[in-house]
Amino acid sequence: MHIPLDLAKTLLLSNQVVAVPTETVYGLAASLYSETAISQIFQLKKRPLNNPLIIHTATLAEVKAFVTSLPPHFEQLADAFWPGPLTLILPVDQKIHSQVRAELPTAAFRIPKHTTMLELLQQTGPLVAPSANLSGRPSSTSPAHIENDFGVDFPVLDGGPCARGVESTILIFLNEWRIARLGAISAEELATILPYLPKITSGTKQPLCPGQMFKHYAPQARLHVQGDLNRASLILGFSDRKYNAPSLLLGASTNPCEVAQNLYSILRMLDLNSVEEAWIDMDFPHTELWATIRERILRAAN
Ligand code: TXA
Ligand code: MG
């Protein structure tokens, strides 16, 4: 159910959960100060309790108010990428409810770049918001995806389709900044601000982000990332290539932004059409935003 901004504000300030738009993916938001609504998020998503949430704020001052010490290059990163699709894991004191942090001594923060969301945040104060999908499933990049997962009566603040289409990049500081989750901002972009290319630690056995341990982004359909596309029954491919089988188009092979934008919609389309298996054209670069796209596809296929 689409709701206007003032109703979203009223619901959030009375312990309720509302789906909200961001430039990356839609979030399932609760006030940082509502333990009831925060518990509700975990129940709605069927999210493991040891998977902490990202705190979204409208301003840098709000972030700093919670943080006990600022790592090197914090100001430069915030200056360059906030508002925007970067999440920073920072040390915090116990003021932040333990369920938000999953008992960790740190919390994740980001200032999103979406006009409606920023307007809402100015009126509500900090909101926690995981991606608005059932745990394990592809994230939601449009209000229709939220209705699919949570029903047509679920309150959604409509902010249109998400411009980025993949989640924020998460950085954590351990002697140097490391990428704990690949996302909309590439390692190469981060290296224009940091004096080094941050190492990617996602996908390792001991992930720095608890969320990386869990199944992710997966449709019901079986996805093949290897094998002969000539023998495929359905291909997820690129609009500027010719295939010998029916295909769903992710976008042009020259345009990773377009592919990222469409990725979750296309994965969700497989389930809407009860597709049992599909083959993905994995012939694309390993660098920049393509690295994120590749990681999401590999996880979805796992
Ligand atoms: O783009 C995004 O980041 C979206 C939009 C809605 O802002 N949000 C999002 O939230 O992707 P979620 O909950 O789906 O993913 C948050 C990730 C999880 O993998 C979680 O484990 C990690 O952030 N995380 C949160 N707090 C953390 C902490 N203190 N230390 C390490 N990882 C943390
Ligand atoms: Mg998520």
Side-chain angles (χ1 to χ4, degrees):
M1 185 182 27
H2 294 207
I3 59 165
L5 191 110
D6 55 348
L7 181 55
K9 172 192 171 185
T10 306
L11 293 175
L12 287 164
L13 295 181
S14 48
N15 299 312
Q16 296 190 56
V17 176
V18 173
V20 296
T22 84
E23 79 281 32
T24 55
V25 299
Y26 273 77
L28 222 47
S31 166
L32 176 62
Y33 308 114
S34 172
E35 287 179 35
T36 327
I38 292 169
S39 299
Q40 177 98 59
I41 285 181
F42 283 90
Q43 283 167 25
L44 279 164
K45 280 189 62 110
K46 301 190 172 64
R47 182 179 178 100
L49 290 173
N50 59 347
N51 194 3
L53 304 174
I54 298 176
I55 300 168
H56 299 67
T57 72
T59 64
L60 191 55
E62 288 168 283
V63 175
K64 286 184 177 172
F66 293 111
V67 176
T68 47
S69 74
L70 294 173
H73 301 109
F74 168 84
E75 299 285 348
Q76 289 93 323
L77 288 168
D79 248 24
F81 298 110
W82 280 350
L86 180 69
T87 295
L88 298 177
I89 310 284
L90 298 166
V92 293
D93 54 29
Q94 306 302 310
K95 264 185 290 182
I96 293 173
H97 189 249
S98 62
Q99 200 172 5
V100 171
R101 297 178 279 116
E103 318 278 347
L104 294 167
T106 53
F109 293 92
R110 111 175 169 91
I111 304 179
K113 189 174 186 167
H114 188 292
T115 322
T116 312
M117 178 62 169
L118 283 171
E119 205 180 323
L120 180 69
L121 284 166
Q122 273 150 17
Q123 297 183 24
T124 57
L127 297 175
V128 294
S131 52
N133 53 280
L134 293 170
S135 203
R137 296 265 161 255
S139 302
S140 292
T141 52
S142 84
H145 299 160
I146 297 157
E147 292 187 350
N148 267 315
D149 282 13
F150 301 106
V152 288
D153 292 332
F154 196 83
V156 182
L157 178 62
D158 188 351
C162 298
R164 300 295 196 124
V166 290
E167 297 79 358
S168 61
T169 301
I170 303 183
L171 287 186
I172 189 165
F173 188 80
L174 305 162
N175 299 318
E176 58 178 37
W177 289 102
R178 303 247 189 116
I179 298 179
R181 177 181 73 184
L182 286 164
I185 295 174
S186 66
E188 291 85 348
E189 279 174 89
L190 291 162
T192 64
I193 300 301
L194 296 173
Y196 49 88
L197 185 71
K199 290 195 188 79
I200 299 162
T201 59
S202 56
T204 57
K205 283 225 173 77
Q206 280 245 300
L208 298 172
C209 258
Q212 300 292 97
M213 290 182 298
F214 306 110
K215 188 182 162 80
H216 255 93
Y217 320 115
Q220 310 279 358
R222 243 187 99 193
L223 297 178
H224 300 277
V225 290
Q226 289 173 326
D228 186 359
L229 290 184
N230 285 314
R231 290 164 60 184
S233 50
L234 176 68
I235 296 172
L236 306 194
F238 298 103
S239 52
D240 50 346
R241 292 185 187 161
K242 284 265 174 291
Y243 301 103
N244 295 327
S247 49
L248 288 172
L249 302 177
L250 295 160
S253 67
T254 49
N255 190 347
C257 295
E258 184 189 14
V259 173
Q261 240 173 30
N262 292 330
L263 181 63
Y264 292 141
S265 277
I266 301 249
L267 292 179
R268 281 174 170 269
M269 210 180 280
L270 299 177
D271 286 348
L272 286 177
N273 292 292
S274 310
V275 170
E276 282 176 12
E277 54 183 344
W279 281 254
I280 307 191
D281 181 352
M282 297 297 286
D283 184 11
F284 56 82
H286 287 254
T287 51
E288 302 185 312
L289 184 57
W290 289 114
T292 302
I293 294 167
R294 183 176 296 277
E295 192 258 357
R296 295 302 194 267
I297 291 174
L298 292 176
R299 278 180 173 271
N302 222 327

